[in-house]
Amino acid sequence: QVQVAESGGGLVQAGGSLRLSCTLSGLFFENYSMGWFRQTPGKEREGISCISFNSEHTYYVDSVKGRFTISKDNAKNTISLQMNSLKPEDTAMYYCAALVVSWEQCTASKNNYWGQGTQVTVSS
């Protein structure tokens, strides 16, 4: 059984930082590119950062470049998203996924393996 579990969300003031973590079980972690996505009510889920299976390649959507950093630890079956200089517009539900699409596409395919999400709220 595949399980994807996010943690680390919360409430933070604008300019602050949060670190999200995600663990994957039930799949051979080293074989999978992984990604972080976010969604706000009424909008489609957006791919914000993805990392290749071997951590050699990363993708960031323009709105988070220079502020967010994704990392993958194959020894711990974990990926993380370090989020700095947070803005109110970063407020969303954040989801982790093991990707069936390429890290370059970083799209919210229904066939990705999804976690339940963790809420990030940035106050102004």
Side-chain angles (χ1 to χ4, degrees):
Q1 183 180 358
V2 178
Q3 290 188 324
V4 180
E6 305 95 338
S7 61
L11 174 63
V12 64
Q13 288 188 332
S17 298
L18 281 175
R19 186 177 181 86
L20 304 183
S21 295
C22 170
T23 58
L24 173 68
S25 60
L27 294 174
F28 192 50
F29 184 75
E30 293 183 12
N31 285 357
Y32 280 84
S33 296
M34 302 286 293
W36 288 99
F37 300 76
R38 65 186 181 189
Q39 189 172 23
T40 54
K43 292 191 176 182
E44 292 188 355
R45 194 170 295 185
E46 172 190 35
I48 58 170
S49 184
C50 289
I51 188 166
S52 63
F53 72 98
N54 57 5
S55 302
E56 289 188 359
H57 305 284
T58 56
Y59 162 86
Y60 296 95
V61 70
D62 285 347
S63 59
V64 307
K65 281 181 181 177
R67 300 189 298 123
F68 291 10
T69 303
I70 191 171
S71 58
K72 189 174 188 273
D73 187 339
N74 285 341
K76 296 181 179 180
N77 282 20
T78 297
I79 68 166
S80 298
L81 186 70
Q82 179 66 42
M83 305 186 296
N84 298 329
S85 302
L86 282 161
K87 305 175 181 180
E89 50 264 43
D90 293 318
T91 295
M93 185 69 78
Y94 282 69
Y95 297 90
C96 173
L99 305 180
V100 297
V101 298
S102 73
W103 63 271
E104 297 165 282
Q105 293 177 301
C106 201
T107 52
S109 168
K110 64 178 182 180
N111 295 317
N112 291 339
Y113 297 94
W114 294 99
Q116 294 300 307
T118 186
Q119 178 68 37
V120 171
T121 303
V122 184
S123 62
S124 57

